[in-house]
Amino acid sequence: MADYPRFGPSGVPPIFRLMGAKLADVPRLLKVEGLDAFEYEAVRWGQSPQIKREDAQALRAAAKKNDVLLSLHGSYFINLSGEQTVVEASKRRLIACATAAEWMGAYVVVFHSGFYGHNSKTETYKKIVDAIRDVIKTLNANGIEKVKLGPETMGRHSQFGSLDEILSICQEIERTQLVIDWSHLHARTGGGLRTVEDFRNTAVKVEEKLGTEAMRNMHCHFSKIEYTYKVGELRHHILDAVEFGPDFEKLAEVIIDLGMRPCIICETPILDVDAKKMQEILRKTTKNRRD
């Protein structure tokens, strides 16, 4: 992690694809835009790495050359709290993602842990913790020792991934990385991130549970989000969608106040554009504080 906040897109920006850019071109193009993070999307992967090792290593070299921090978003087809056959397949998917992440030098694999289903929240938590520990044992046995596993806060009430649940996992299991999706938290809590204090209280809670460094170095996702009180998250929106929250300006205030240096990944429909917009908001807020 750097000693300053980093910003980048979740996946290859559409404009890069229109330009005919290859994967290894992405870090250079992000640097031209002034961005310094990139989350590789492995969300449709099966139970083996679906990227060639040489392509992953080329991305790693390009990221290092252009000072772009890499992360990887794991398969959507992971449910560590399902039936045993589902859990075993999910563990293999997570291992495949971590293997590729190690190849490309990504520091964390972000993943969705699972669903409550017919289990109680306590039963779901135990199953997920046991599965993550099994994955880490396999990674260690395979010599995959650097990449961290990042269970993400989730936006729907049917999904495991409240703030308290994710903090408990990070407390209990070494080699995990806190991943806070601010839009998911906003949706899950029925619009609970409305003020600067709402964001601050979340960050302070992280600090109380995991310590100052974990709070300052959290991995984040951000977008505007549409939700319902019954379901939670519905869909992501661009930062300029004023009818939706949360507001990045309020998070920027907390980042400055608490000396945070998060990696902030943009998940709006205009990936690099809104990543730049968030970066500029933070810079402007910092400048206004100094003037």
Side-chain angles (χ1 to χ4, degrees):
M1 297 291 289
D3 58 357
Y4 54 89
R6 286 179 178 261
F7 293 85
S10 176
V12 179
I15 187 64
F16 294 5
R17 297 186 186 278
L18 290 174
M19 294 165 56
K22 297 180 180 179
L23 182 61
D25 296 325
V26 171
R28 174 180 56 81
L29 294 172
L30 290 175
K31 185 176 182 179
V32 169
E33 292 187 331
L35 296 171
D36 46 20
F38 174 58
E39 190 152 288
Y40 179 86
E41 295 289 277
V43 296
R44 304 295 176 189
W45 280 20
Q47 298 175 39
S48 61
Q50 294 176 344
I51 183 174
K52 294 180 180 179
R53 186 167 186 162
E54 55 265 34
D55 292 338
Q57 291 173 335
L59 175 61
R60 178 179 190 151
K64 183 177 180 180
K65 180 179 179 180
N66 292 281
D67 188 29
V68 171
L69 181 68
L70 295 180
S71 53
L72 182 147
H73 197 301
S75 174
Y76 286 152
F77 305 109
I78 288 174
N79 181 7
L80 299 177
S81 58
E83 299 296 329
Q84 194 57 37
T85 55
V86 172
V87 171
E88 293 303 321
S90 297
K91 289 192 290 186
R92 290 192 291 271
R93 290 187 176 95
L94 192 50
I95 290 165
C97 290
T99 300
E102 187 97 346
W103 293 345
M104 67 179 61
Y107 83 104
V108 60
V109 174
V110 178
F111 67 98
H112 304 170
S113 302
F115 298 84
Y116 299 116
H118 298 298
N119 299 320
S120 69
K121 290 187 176 182
T122 300
E123 291 169 334
T124 301
Y125 179 85
K126 184 180 185 306
K127 290 187 72 171
I128 288 173
V129 165
D130 289 345
I132 293 174
R133 284 188 168 137
D134 284 346
V135 168
I136 291 173
K137 287 179 183 178
T138 301
L139 294 179
N140 289 337
N142 292 342
I144 301 167
E145 300 174 344
K146 293 182 180 179
V147 63
K148 294 184 177 181
L149 300 182
E152 178 183 351
T153 57
M154 300 306 298
R156 293 185 178 177
H157 302 304
S158 60
Q159 296 171 303
F160 177 92
S162 69
L163 178 61
D164 287 338
E165 287 168 338
I166 298 304
L167 290 177
S168 292
I169 284 183
C170 291
Q171 281 181 301
E172 191 166 345
I173 305 176
E174 292 186 7
R175 200 173 158 180
T176 51
Q177 166 67 45
L178 176 65
V179 178
I180 288 192
D181 187 311
W182 294 97
S183 57
H184 285 169
L185 286 185
H186 185 68
R188 192 180 186 104
T189 58
L193 296 175
R194 298 181 186 277
T195 68
V196 173
E197 283 307 305
D198 292 333
F199 283 97
R200 191 192 317 278
N201 290 341
T202 301
V204 168
K205 187 172 190 177
V206 170
E207 184 174 25
E208 290 172 348
K209 297 290 185 178
L210 302 181
T212 300
E213 287 305 298
M215 179 271 291
R216 287 179 172 164
N217 293 304
M218 65 176 67
H219 187 86
C220 300
H221 289 171
F222 200 97
S223 71
K224 292 291 187 72
I225 197 163
E226 185 178 352
Y227 65 90
T228 66
Y229 289 100
K230 182 177 180 179
V231 175
E233 172 195 0
L234 293 180
R235 60 188 61 86
H236 294 270
H237 292 274
I238 63 173
L239 289 188
D240 286 344
V242 295
E243 65 270 39
F244 302 112
D247 293 327
F248 184 76
E249 290 86 348
K250 294 178 174 62
L251 176 57
E253 296 279 357
V254 175
I255 290 173
I256 296 167
D257 287 344
L258 299 182
M260 295 171 66
R261 41 187 184 267
C263 177
I264 300 176
I265 299 298
C266 178
E267 288 196 318
T268 79
I270 47 176
L271 300 166
D272 54 331
V273 176
D274 274 346
K276 278 296 296 181
K277 192 167 292 185
M278 288 189 285
Q279 187 183 58
E280 290 302 319
I281 288 170
L282 182 61
R283 286 175 177 169
K284 183 177 179 180
T285 305
T286 302
K287 182 178 183 298
N288 290 342
R289 291 285 196 90
R290 292 171 178 167
D291 292 345

